[in-house]
Amino acid sequence: MRTSGQITGVRLAQTPSAQELRSRFERHSAFTVGVEEELLVCDPETLDLAPLAGELLRRLPQDRAFKGEMPAAQLELASPVAATVGEACAALLAARHEAADAAGGDAVLAAAGAHPFASGIGQLESGERYDAIQEEFAGVARRQLCFGLHVHVAVPGADRALAVFNALREHLPLLAALGANAPFYEGRDTGLASVRPKMCDLLPRQGVPPAVPSWEALADELAWGARSGVMADAAQWWWEARLHPRLGTVEVRVPDAQPTIGDAAALAAVVHCLVAWLAARADAGDLGEPAAGWRIGENRWSACRHGVTGRFADVRDGSARPTADVVRELLVDLAPFARDLGCSGELARAHHLVDHPPHERLRLAARDGGPRAAAAWLVRRFLTAD
């Protein structure tokens, strides 16, 4: 008998113990980085979403660079583990070209947080995992036409990684604001910088992640999720940042997918440097207690509504300033770490995202031709490096 709130039809994976989690985060010796992006697969004539990701995957090499996801019109690209953001994103640009070649005349590709005019209800892939999610989440699952940019950073030392994750939570709205790239939904301007967070919120375990006081606590949470049946495995710990239980990385999942690899590289550089900066502060004992989730959530809303043109509240004293000013100050703090990590050029481009926010550029592209013109602009930008 099926119990409400349970993912059924799949075998629940054994969850890792605290010792296993710790060992996965202890194995790193450098701040390596990996980048993943979720792409829109579109019809070449109408530019609407086209459920052809499975067909493209059959044409592409069977390796970790290309992956399928639950929406049938979504193709995921993943870089190899890299020493620098430049190296990771060069691999992604090559993968974009390879995917576009595989599409031929049957599809075109683009990147944004959401499609500008497609129906909000889409076709999903089948398979044991996805069928179970559809069974539990019903029509909500078909509304998960969300496209994100995910950045993994390895942090040498398990306890250091835990401290970095807890401190990172309060910075997530700044990353969301900087990468907000989805103002349109179902052919209308939503008035938001990005509608994607609200689409994601239809599912559980979204938004600002809870603080993690210890590895034992994280192991207990993952085990509870499995025992209760609400998660088939730890991969369904779907927050905007997480301690990846299998890869042993700090994973940031909050930015929207970006029109160009140059924009994606800028955001990845901010994440890479931010993690290294927080690690240095952890070593110096300079990180305070984790901030309250609801306070971070208020900044998350500002990022969703206004992007970098909004206001950002200090999560401790409540003072509020323009988000753009806070981001610019953060970029100055991160610059020395960019030199060490070999991504000064990519980090410098983040200033361009502050001055020319992705959501404003997309609105400008739609000024004369509406959301369809915005989709055409995204397709044209897909293979450009900058």
Side-chain angles (χ1 to χ4, degrees):
M1 177 177 176
R2 184 176 183 274
T3 302
S4 177
Q6 289 187 328
I7 301 290
T8 59
V10 296
R11 184 186 307 169
L12 297 181
Q14 183 175 0
T15 57
S17 68
Q19 182 178 356
E20 289 168 332
L21 286 168
R22 179 181 288 275
S23 68
R24 292 169 191 176
F25 283 82
E26 286 286 358
R27 65 191 178 193
H28 302 296
S29 59
F31 288 92
T32 53
V33 63
V35 185
E36 301 167 340
E37 55 176 359
E38 297 167 338
L39 306 179
L40 296 79
V41 181
C42 302
D43 182 273
E45 298 297 328
T46 66
L47 301 184
D48 201 350
L49 287 176
L52 296 174
E55 173 59 28
L56 297 189
L57 285 170
R58 285 187 284 274
R59 301 177 186 181
L60 288 162
Q62 301 299 303
D63 59 31
R64 292 187 58 182
F66 306 99
K67 303 177 185 178
E69 280 291 350
M70 187 167 67
Q74 183 177 104
L75 178 68
E76 181 176 311
L77 307 186
S79 81
V81 176
T84 68
V85 165
E87 179 185 335
C89 288
L92 282 184
L93 181 58
R96 281 192 178 199
H97 279 276
E98 193 168 3
D101 288 344
D106 299 321
V108 290
L109 302 171
H115 191 282
F117 66 82
S119 169
I121 299 176
Q123 181 176 327
L124 304 181
E125 296 287 6
S126 61
E128 183 183 50
R129 174 186 174 87
Y130 298 142
D131 290 347
I133 292 175
Q134 291 182 60
E135 170 67 18
E136 171 57 25
F137 297 112
V140 167
R142 295 184 62 201
R143 286 197 173 273
Q144 293 307 298
L145 304 180
C146 312
F147 303 82
L149 178 72
H150 303 168
V151 184
H152 293 259
V153 182
V155 178
D159 289 339
R160 183 198 264 172
L162 190 68
V164 165
F165 169 79
N166 285 325
L168 177 68
R169 294 167 57 251
E170 66 191 70
H171 298 279
L172 292 174
L174 294 177
L175 300 172
L178 194 60
N181 184 37
F184 300 105
Y185 184 63
E186 292 191 304
R188 296 179 177 86
D189 190 325
T190 64
L192 306 177
S194 176
V195 69
R196 176 172 159 262
K198 307 316 295 178
M199 297 160 67
C200 293
D201 282 346
L202 294 171
L203 292 177
R205 301 180 298 281
Q206 298 287 336
V208 180
V212 178
S214 68
W215 292 109
E216 288 74 17
L218 179 58
D220 185 60
E221 297 289 11
L222 297 177
W224 184 90
R227 287 195 306 270
S228 65
V230 302
M231 298 192 316
D233 54 56
Q236 292 180 5
W237 192 248
W238 286 320
W239 306 99
E240 290 177 340
R242 61 185 177 182
L243 292 158
H244 197 288
R246 180 174 57 84
L247 300 178
T249 57
V250 175
E251 182 187 7
V252 171
R253 302 158 54 82
V254 67
D256 290 342
Q258 296 299 299
T260 71
I261 284 294
D263 292 339
L267 279 160
V270 175
V271 174
H272 200 191
C273 297
L274 177 60
V275 168
W277 178 60
L278 292 174
R281 292 179 59 191
D283 293 345
D286 188 33
L287 295 178
E289 291 298 313
W294 83 271
R295 296 184 183 185
I296 303 171
E298 293 302 312
N299 285 329
R300 179 181 185 253
W301 166 248
S302 177
C304 171
R305 172 64 177 91
H306 302 289
V308 294
T309 66
R311 293 181 67 78
F312 185 87
D314 187 287
V315 292
R316 289 170 179 81
D317 66 22
S319 59
R321 295 190 295 143
T323 302
D325 291 350
V326 179
V327 173
R328 289 189 182 99
E329 289 182 9
L330 177 64
L331 295 178
V332 171
D333 289 335
L334 299 183
F337 295 88
R339 290 192 291 271
D340 293 341
L341 295 170
C343 60
S344 293
E346 290 85 0
L347 187 73
R349 184 180 173 84
H351 289 278
H352 176 77
L353 297 181
V354 179
D355 296 333
H356 305 281
H359 62 92
E360 290 189 352
R361 283 185 277 152
L362 200 53
R363 283 193 169 105
L364 182 62
R367 185 174 57 186
D368 295 327
R372 192 183 189 284
W377 182 84
L378 290 170
V379 169
R380 291 196 302 272
R381 300 289 289 161
F382 181 67
L383 295 179
T384 61
D386 297 324

